[in-house]
Amino acid sequence: MPKVTIDGHTIEVPEGTTILEAARKIGGDIVPPTMCYYSKLKTSGGYCRTCLVKVSKGSEKDPRPMPKPVASCRQTVMDGMEVQNITSPEILDARAGVVEFLLINHPLDCPVCDQAGECNLQDLSYEHGHEVSRLDFRKRTFPMIDIGDKIKLHMNRCIMCYRCVKVAEQLCPERVHGVLNRGWDSEISTYIEQAVDNEWSGNMIDVCPVGALTDKTFRFKSRVWFTKPVDAHRNCPTCSGKVVLWYQGEEVLRVTGRKDQWGEVDEFICNECRFDKKKTSDWVIEGPRHIDRHSVISQNHYEELKKLKQDLSRQKKLGEKAHN
Amino acid sequence: MSRKLLLDNLDKPGIQSLTGYSDNGGYEALRKALQMKPEEIVSEVQKSGLRGRGGAGFPTGMKWSFIAKPEGVPRYLVCNADESEPGTFKDRYLMEHKPHILIEGMIISSFALGANTSYIYIRGEMMYVFHILQKAIDEAYAAGYLGKNILGSGFNLDLHVHCGAGAYICGEETALIESLEGKRGNPRIKPPFPAVKGLWGCPTVVNNVETIAAVVPIIKITGEEYAKIGIGKSTGTKLISASGHINKPGVYEIELGVPVEEFIYSDAYCGGIKNGKQLKAVVAGGSSVPVLPAHLILKTAAGEPRLMTYESLADGGFATGTMLGSGGFIVMDEDTSVVKNLWTFAHFYHHESCGQCSPCREGTGWMYRILNKILNGKGEMKDIDLLWNIQGNIEGKTICPLGDAAAWPVASSIRHFRSEFEAYINNHGMKDVKHYYRLNNLQEA
């Protein structure tokens, strides 16, 4: 099995593993951020360029470094490969540049966006973005459209990650939406306003890293960090039926798939579970959902409080140490 | 006058037709090639030192040797005739006047690679060339050069011309393959390379028109003889499409190694600058390559005369050098505005970006808007640094080379002509920059 070293951490992974997957196995700060890659969707990734890394040694056989930064989500590892992510200043610069590109045409309307709090782009810009925008032109805008009766497409917020296109290709019986036009003007849309209507289409909402595709049954109901996530399941004939219910008081505001720490769902769920089953009596409750992300959505939970206490006591100890 | 291998016999009547072409030595190379083994042809091309004429300059023989040969899987040869680089029009000229040299080259190359189906992907705007090629293919089928059992050799080949729908990006080999498959012309993420997984998931070689046409003289005169033309690793002849402020714009076939000065000023080639003006700058290989000011294009930074070769033009890296690229030689005289020229290029790349990856989609449009602002007299000094920064954030970060191609002209224009940008900003988009130089008694960059 090939051995790869990422920022000084060496790991042995099966043949054909990507640099990104290897980094996720190591975990921690060295995992490159992703906006378009989705491990559950085939051929996803490579478009957003936030996961660029530097390959400082190609492999044991061919130790030459790669001439350009590579997309870690698509580049497979070779034996003896050495990769630099956060230890390379040029990669951090490149990433900041990419984040700036993603943000220049983004409306930054987080205060009125339903995705705020669980938005990958928000997290990314906190970590890698600039404080101010250097764009002094009008941002491009598109009219909002309904794709299907349950999904709203807010194209202004889209970062063209192609994830929803892959969902339509790989889960849905047919794809009736895709990318129209070219370059700066390219947009996700349906062919002549055709409605996206099939039992898996709701997963486009889950895979969308920003607030471009939102759940019309949840729009403007609540900020996500005010809702309480609860694991639940039901006996569903179409999908696995394993979901997360988002409560406000007694009311189920929305139903989503179970997202892991990378923001990817474990299993895709069907539209019946997502849109039609919004009563507690429809579900078997398993218990509180553990949200393992450093986004705003992780706030307000007891676990965070525990972590905060730990952090505080550690800081106190450090302070005492410095004092002595 | 240099030796002509591709554009020879252009003055002969009927050279466009099969009979005219055959009367002047056409399809002799094919007869010779079919007597050889495919590997011998590949090694002949390797010996010739032929390098890809589409822009990157990758050794063709090496590219051919990389093609995967799994059992029971067809292989394809695709000719890239999607010539859309601003300043480059050599392939169109060749296909228009000698379509049969391309078809002969396609048959020989397909035979060498073991491809039984080959495609010529032609740019949508060149519809009339499409018809010329189609007619030539029909003639070749009728004469038995295409189809089953070509000239009794047992080799079968079907050749198709496919018309693109008008996108610069489809000149990138993987986008071309996507487009040929009937999909949206977005470049694929490499690896896998087309030599392993290309058209319909099968091993594929994509070559430029001129590269494939050059196989014909290589077989005719042997690879060793071909390698004697040129200097060092730049062997053979190259078509250069010269345009701009010169007395004799057009397509020239040169032996690689001609000094740039001779190419611009000699009567055999461009014939000097129009109206007796001074040379200001040259884009040596199509709009993507860095623009160079007169003193750097005629002589390298070390003071040696610059030659029309891959190595000499690239001498000094991007700081003081450029690239041979696809041979689109654009000459600008002293009255030309580099900023305006850059605006035109930036508009082009903004329009042609496919929008798949973020740096190119957003960056090209942003750079175009900044240049627009500068030309309209609303630029600020910080915009120059911003442009520099944006091009740096695009270069090398994208899926395909379109991002680099959009970034390099911006970088080189600022690097060599920064004072002109400043003049535009200080004078609120003043049209006549030369006038500004005279007024302020400044040296031109």
Side-chain angles (χ1 to χ4, degrees):
Chain A
M1 290 211 298
K3 253 187 204 165
V4 57
T5 307
I6 305 171
D7 284 341
H9 301 265
T10 307
I11 189 172
E12 215 168 300
V13 287
E15 196 83 36
T17 310
T18 58
I19 297 174
L20 182 82
E21 287 298 335
R24 282 185 176 181
K25 276 189 184 157
I26 298 168
D29 291 345
I30 62 146
V31 185
T34 52
M35 296 300 289
C36 63
Y37 173 76
Y38 210 80
S39 59
K40 277 92 193 169
L41 296 172
K42 275 177 246 152
T43 71
S44 67
Y47 308 123
C48 71
R49 318 307 280 177
T50 54
C51 70
L52 290 180
V53 292
K54 185 179 164 184
V55 177
S56 47
K57 182 183 168 191
S59 67
E60 211 58 70
K61 267 191 214 154
D62 181 7
R64 286 176 303 169
M66 291 191 184
K68 290 178 184 177
V70 296
S72 60
C73 61
R74 294 298 281 264
Q75 179 68 45
T76 50
V77 298
M78 311 270 192
D79 191 32
M81 186 184 261
E82 278 171 26
V83 179
Q84 289 183 325
N85 179 22
I86 53 171
T87 49
S88 159
E90 56 196 279
I91 287 300
L92 292 179
D93 277 355
R95 195 164 290 153
V98 171
V99 174
E100 185 179 27
F101 285 135
L102 289 176
L103 286 176
I104 57 167
N105 274 310
H106 190 80
L108 298 172
D109 57 346
C110 308
V112 293
C113 175
D114 285 294
Q115 190 83 5
E118 55 175 359
C119 175
N120 295 27
L121 189 60
Q122 226 177 10
D123 297 350
L124 191 73
S125 57
Y126 271 120
E127 276 174 51
H128 302 282
H130 298 293
E131 298 81 22
V132 287
S133 173
R134 296 191 288 174
L135 179 94
D136 43 9
F137 303 99
R138 271 193 184 182
K139 296 186 184 225
R140 67 167 169 246
T141 49
F142 300 91
M144 260 189 272
I145 59 168
D146 286 332
I147 54 171
D149 58 340
K150 295 287 182 2
I151 309 174
K152 193 80 169 176
L153 171 64
H154 201 322
M155 188 56 215
N156 291 353
R157 295 173 183 156
C158 179
I159 58 158
M160 301 296 288
C161 71
Y162 282 67
R163 279 182 185 175
C164 60
V165 180
K166 309 272 174 192
V167 165
E169 260 169 11
Q170 292 166 29
L171 290 175
C172 304
E174 57 174 359
R175 177 160 74 90
V176 289
H177 87 294
V179 180
L180 305 185
N181 299 332
R182 195 165 70 189
W184 180 278
D185 303 311
S186 51
E187 60 172 309
I188 299 280
S189 192
T190 55
Y191 180 60
I192 321 183
E193 304 274 308
Q194 213 167 353
V196 176
D197 183 22
N198 62 72
E199 56 190 4
W200 296 98
S201 65
N203 291 299
M204 291 175 201
I205 302 165
D206 274 356
V207 301
C208 184
V210 293
L213 292 166
T214 47
D215 183 344
K216 278 172 81 180
T217 63
F218 177 65
R219 270 170 79 82
F220 310 129
K221 288 268 176 67
S222 168
R223 308 305 326 209
V224 289
W225 58 90
F226 292 141
T227 55
K228 302 288 179 208
V230 168
D231 274 348
H233 67 264
R234 71 182 266 268
N235 207 354
C236 177
T238 346
C239 67
S240 67
K242 289 179 184 163
V243 301
V244 179
L245 307 177
W246 299 79
Y247 276 98
Q248 193 173 54
E250 297 288 299
E251 198 188 347
V252 178
L253 287 191
R254 65 166 175 166
V255 183
T256 68
R258 294 181 181 176
K259 288 191 185 178
D260 61 13
Q261 57 171 321
W262 315 115
E264 295 180 2
V265 296
D266 295 334
E267 278 164 284
F268 294 110
I269 61 168
C270 67
N271 281 8
E272 195 190 345
C273 289
R274 184 186 304 272
F275 299 120
D276 301 335
K277 303 286 174 195
K278 295 223 171 157
K279 277 189 236 125
T280 308
S281 56
D282 293 329
W283 298 96
V284 181
I285 305 292
E286 293 170 19
R289 173 75 186 165
H290 171 72
I291 305 284
D292 193 9
R293 287 175 66 187
H294 64 270
S295 208
V296 191
I297 198 171
S298 311
Q299 303 308 312
N300 257 342
H301 303 307
Y302 296 117
E303 290 155 25
E304 281 302 308
L305 211 61
K306 215 164 88 188
K307 216 171 140 195
L308 195 70
K309 270 186 185 163
Q310 279 172 353
D311 283 358
L312 277 176
S313 61
R314 202 172 68 210
Q315 270 181 4
K316 211 172 147 192
K317 268 184 205 159
L318 282 173
E320 279 166 9
K321 212 173 164 186
H323 199 68
N324 293 336
Chain B
M1 202 68 196
S2 66
R3 191 164 167 184
K4 284 190 176 172
L5 297 176
L6 299 172
L7 298 183
D8 54 344
N9 299 326
L10 268 193
D11 51 342
K12 302 276 161 60
I15 192 78
Q16 209 187 39
S17 69
L18 181 71
T19 42
Y21 182 67
S22 306
D23 290 347
N24 291 292
Y27 289 102
E28 270 169 22
L30 175 66
R31 286 199 175 81
K32 189 175 167 192
L34 290 175
Q35 306 294 322
M36 297 160 78
K37 283 190 193 131
E39 304 83 57
E40 284 171 0
I41 301 176
V42 175
S43 84
E44 206 63 37
V45 172
Q46 272 171 336
K47 269 187 236 161
S48 75
L50 176 68
R51 290 169 69 172
R53 301 294 196 224
F58 191 80
T60 308
M62 202 189 279
K63 192 175 193 173
W64 285 11
S65 66
F66 285 157
I67 190 168
K69 291 179 176 162
E71 279 292 308
V73 178
R75 296 189 283 273
Y76 294 102
L77 172 68
V78 180
C79 171
N80 185 348
D82 191 75
E83 182 184 52
S84 357
E85 180 99 351
T88 310
F89 43 88
K90 62 183 177 72
D91 295 344
R92 187 193 65 196
Y93 187 82
L94 185 66
M95 289 187 290
E96 203 181 324
H97 294 282
K98 277 179 87 175
H100 281 285
I101 194 170
L102 174 63
I103 289 158
E104 188 179 2
M106 282 299 280
I107 306 168
I108 299 173
S109 309
S110 303
F111 178 64
L113 292 163
N116 295 112
T117 311
S118 295
Y119 298 89
I120 300 173
Y121 183 95
I122 190 164
R123 182 180 172 196
E125 286 89 338
M126 308 201 285
M127 203 61 199
Y128 67 104
V129 186
F130 171 86
H131 293 305
I132 292 172
L133 278 178
Q134 190 59 56
K135 193 172 155 237
I137 288 176
D138 293 342
E139 283 176 339
Y141 265 109
Y145 294 129
L146 282 169
K148 295 253 179 296
N149 194 13
I150 295 168
L151 300 177
S153 64
F155 172 64
N156 309 328
L157 177 69
D158 281 314
L159 184 58
H160 304 277
V161 198
H162 181 87
C163 205
Y168 173 65
I169 191 62
C170 291
E172 199 275 342
E173 57 177 2
T174 52
L176 186 151
I177 290 171
E178 285 277 296
S179 173
L180 199 52
E181 288 180 4
K183 299 175 192 152
R184 188 184 157 86
N186 279 358
R188 292 178 183 171
I189 292 154
K190 294 181 237 180
F193 288 91
V196 180
K197 222 174 162 189
L199 187 63
W200 322 115
C202 302
T204 305
V205 167
V206 183
N207 276 137
N208 179 260
V209 171
E210 194 191 337
T211 317
I212 289 175
V215 173
V216 177
I218 286 172
I219 296 301
K220 228 185 241 173
I221 65 171
T222 75
E224 273 159 24
E225 197 63 31
Y226 188 85
K228 283 180 191 159
I229 311 170
I231 294 176
K233 283 184 179 170
S234 303
T235 58
T237 62
K238 170 98 184 78
L239 299 183
I240 303 286
S241 35
S243 61
H245 302 125
I246 42 177
N247 283 323
K248 290 163 64 189
V251 177
Y252 294 97
E253 182 168 6
I254 59 157
E255 289 183 13
L256 286 168
V258 175
V260 176
E261 195 163 2
E262 187 189 331
F263 184 71
I264 298 176
Y265 291 106
S266 147
D267 272 339
Y269 302 112
C270 303
I273 310 297
K274 221 172 172 179
N275 302 331
K277 288 188 177 161
Q278 295 294 311
L279 174 68
K280 177 175 185 178
V282 169
V283 179
S287 65
S288 309
V289 307
V291 53
L292 280 189
H295 64 278
L296 281 175
I297 189 71
L298 298 177
K299 289 210 161 55
T300 63
E304 287 163 18
R306 220 183 262 281
L307 312 174
M308 298 287 275
T309 62
Y310 290 96
E311 292 79 21
S312 177
L313 281 170
D315 186 84
F318 278 179
T320 58
T322 179
M323 283 165 78
L324 182 60
S326 57
F329 199 83
I330 309 171
V331 181
M332 299 180 225
D333 72 10
E334 53 187 318
D335 290 345
T336 319
S337 159
V338 170
V339 183
K340 259 190 182 170
N341 172 62
L342 180 63
W343 176 86
T344 314
F345 286 171
H347 182 224
F348 175 77
Y349 290 111
H350 163 48
H351 183 250
E352 295 295 345
S353 165
C354 81
Q356 197 178 209
C357 59
S358 10
C360 176
R361 178 184 64 236
E362 309 291 346
T364 51
W366 195 1
M367 291 196 301
Y368 163 67
R369 278 163 176 78
I370 294 172
L371 283 163
N372 221 356
K373 185 177 149 191
I374 293 177
L375 273 189
N376 283 320
K378 299 203 171 103
E380 298 159 71
M381 279 301 169
K382 69 173 172 63
D383 287 336
I384 304 175
D385 292 329
L386 182 58
L387 270 179
W388 181 265
N389 194 268
I390 297 171
Q391 68 80 19
N393 283 341
I394 300 175
E395 191 202 340
K397 318 287 191 302
T398 52
I399 295 174
C400 79
L402 195 142
D404 298 344
W408 291 339
V410 176
S412 56
S413 296
I414 297 179
R415 188 182 290 124
H416 301 300
F417 298 95
R418 196 183 174 102
S419 57
E420 200 167 308
F421 284 83
E422 287 166 358
Y424 257 94
I425 291 166
N426 285 332
N427 292 278
H428 305 289
M430 191 168 161
K431 274 182 192 152
D432 190 357
V433 175
K434 194 175 165 61
H435 180 62
Y436 167 81
Y437 281 125
R438 281 201 199 112
L439 271 181
N440 291 279
N441 207 9
L442 285 175
Q443 276 282 308
E444 278 186 57

